[in-house]
């Protein structure tokens, strides 16, 4: 604690707000949905994150998903040091891009060709541009509560920080752009069918998070993804899976492998960069061969495919294995069950949605299967729970509408410690009707 009695994080946050809008470089980090000043992070290792005041906590943000192997794995740090010593960026082709692209196709065969970019936002923006060029159509169908980065076409009823901050449709998105974005309801094929019927042949693409993560975690119901595939085929629209979260998370082949539905294009990010800035889009060869310089659809990037990010991504993918997913899935179930049990004991309404090693506890009595259900959750209760966990050595996502991520570095002991903290935090909250289910 500094002499003035304020924490280092509080002092840094005050300084940060004098140069960075809201004191952060991405909105959800500002804790506006949960209150208080965000801890400024000094270092992290394994499953733990340490702030500038020396507080160490079990981390379930994990950089919002990329760190499936945990913070700073020693082997990855060694690979990065060796790579950096040979140069950090060339703006020229390297073998590392070919190696990572080949690894991606091996894990996700639907990506017959792949292009690396620097973020998930770039990936989805580029995939939509390609779909519009390939079909000669302009309209895109997305789902309320899904988030596909901050590209204009997607900031319409968007999830993640847009919903967290209460601005799901952002100012600055021109009405002309928003007019080409049509919004359906997740897990509701009828809502998609009605849009397609009304739009006839004007829909270029439908983009979906095959496992929604940005309204909190909402799994696809049986037949939903298959139904989207059929509807896109019937109407000549490109099916885009935004697997920025689910890719290499819900299985080594992502949601498309876990649920057995092949998209035309896939967007990737997070894990594919091993914690460094990487995004990618890829898919059918006949589509991707239309991307410059193979074809006319322009897309470019100074740092696309840079050696450090490629090395980190290759290391991350090469260390994925069936035993790792078995352990991660078991940890996910262990934590989900523990949170649900703790809420039942405290007689607080809680629904826990979990897919593999990503989950969300929703403070509501009703099952959460879409954006309406997610936004009906008690966000004030989540904020109280969040503060209780933060005070007890656990660092969950500072928003009801995000996923809790586990990693190879989390142990059953970490989960037990987290459930114990949850039990105490929930006990301290107002008593509610019993109905914790998952
Ligand atoms: P980035 O541009 O942030 O790399 O990726 C955008 C994106 C695209 N698609 C999906 C499904 C995503 O979840 C994201 C980004 N996810 C958020 C967290 N849910 C990033 C965190 C943040 O914005 O600070």
């Amino acid at each position: 604690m500094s002499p003035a009695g304020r924490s280092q994080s509080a002092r840094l946050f005050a300084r940060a707000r004098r140069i960075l809008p809201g004191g952060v470089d991405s909105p959800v980090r500002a804790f506006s949905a949960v209150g208080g000043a965000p801890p400024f992070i000094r270092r992290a290792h394994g499953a733990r994150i340490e702030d500038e005041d020396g507080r160490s906590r079990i981390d379930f943000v994990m950089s919002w998903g990329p760190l499936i192997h945990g913070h700073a794995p020693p082997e990855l740090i060694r690979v990065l040091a060796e790579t950096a010593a040979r140069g950090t960026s060339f703006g020229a082709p390297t073998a590392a891009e070919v190696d990572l692209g080949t690894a991606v196709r091996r894990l996700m065969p639907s990506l017959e060709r792949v292009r690396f970019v620097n973020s998930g936002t770039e990936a989805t923006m580029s995939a939509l541009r390609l779909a519009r060029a390939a079909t000669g159509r302009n309209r895109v169908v997305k789902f309320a509560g899904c988030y596909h980065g901050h590209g204009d076409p997607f900031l319409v009823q968007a999830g993640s920080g847009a919903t967290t901050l209460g601005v799901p449709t952002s100012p600055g998105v021109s009405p002309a752009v928003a007019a080409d974005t049509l919004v359906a309801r997740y897990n509701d094929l009828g809502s998609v069918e009605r849009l397609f019927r009304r739009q006839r042949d004007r829909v270029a693409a439908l983009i979906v998070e095959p496992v929604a993560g940005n309204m909190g975690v909402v799994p696809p119901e049986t037949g939903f993804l298959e139904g989207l595939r059929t509807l896109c085929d019937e109407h000549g629209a490109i099916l885009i899976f935004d697997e920025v979260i689910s890719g290499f998370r819900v299985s080594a082949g992502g949601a498309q492998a876990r649920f057995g539905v092949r998209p035309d294009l896939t967007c990737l990010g997070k894990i594919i960069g091993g914690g460094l800035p990487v995004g990618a889009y890829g898919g059918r060869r006949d589509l991707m061969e239309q991307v410059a310089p193979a074809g006319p659809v322009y897309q470019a990037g100074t740092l696309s495919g840079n050696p450090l990010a490629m090395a980190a991504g290759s290391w991350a993918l090469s260390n994925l294995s069936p035993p790792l997913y078995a352990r991660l899935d078991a940890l996910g179930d262990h934590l989900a069950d523990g949170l649900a049990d703790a809420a039942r004991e405290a007689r607080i309404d809680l629904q826990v949605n979990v897919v593999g090693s990503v989950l969300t506890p929703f403070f509501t009595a009703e099952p959460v299967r879409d954006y309406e259900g997610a936004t009906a959750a008690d966000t004030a209760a989540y904020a109280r729970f969040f503060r209780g966990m933060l005070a007890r050595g656990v660092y969950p996502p500072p928003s009801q509408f995000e996923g809790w991520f586990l990693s190879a570095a989390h142990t059953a002991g970490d989960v037990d410690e987290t459930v114990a903290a949850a039990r105490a935090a929930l006990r301290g909250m107002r008593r509610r009707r019993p109905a914790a289910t998952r």
Side-chain angles (χ1 to χ4, degrees), residues 26 28-29 64 119-122 124 147-150 160 209 213-214 242 244-245 270 402:
S26 197
V28 72
R29 304 176 189 173
W64 305 98
S119 68
T121 293
E122 276 191 78
T124 57
Y147 177 73
H148 305 291
H150 62 85
S160 185
E209 293 180 55
N214 287 292
D242 178 348
V244 168
I245 286 181
K270 297 184 193 282
E402 297 288 355

Side-chain angles (χ1 to χ4, degrees), residues 333-399:
D333 285 339
H334 182 177
L335 180 56
D337 290 341
L339 293 174
D341 292 345
R344 243 190 304 280
E345 284 167 24
R347 304 172 64 74
I348 285 182
D349 298 334
L350 195 78
Q351 305 286 326
V352 186
N353 284 355
V354 56
V355 180
S357 57
V358 62
L359 61 91
T360 298
F362 291 96
F363 283 80
T364 178
E366 303 306 320
V368 178
R369 56 186 298 272
D370 56 25
Y371 188 52
E372 191 180 343
T375 49
D378 182 342
T379 51
Y382 183 87
R384 284 198 301 278
F385 174 61
F386 172 87
R387 290 193 296 272
M389 295 296 271
L390 203 64
R392 293 178 173 83
V394 178
Y395 188 71
S399 162

Side-chain angles (χ1 to χ4, degrees), residues 286-307:
D286 65 302
L287 294 174
M288 290 302 292
E289 293 291 356
Q290 298 183 44
V291 175
V297 182
Y298 198 70
Q299 178 268 310
T302 302
L303 291 170
S304 296
N306 77 80

Side-chain angles (χ1 to χ4, degrees), residues 72-88 273-276 306-313 315:
E75 185 52 24
L76 171 59
I77 302 305
R78 189 188 62 73
V79 165
L80 287 174
E82 283 177 4
T83 304
R86 297 196 299 270
T88 57
L276 272 70
N306 77 80
L308 280 178
M310 294 296 103
W315 184 87

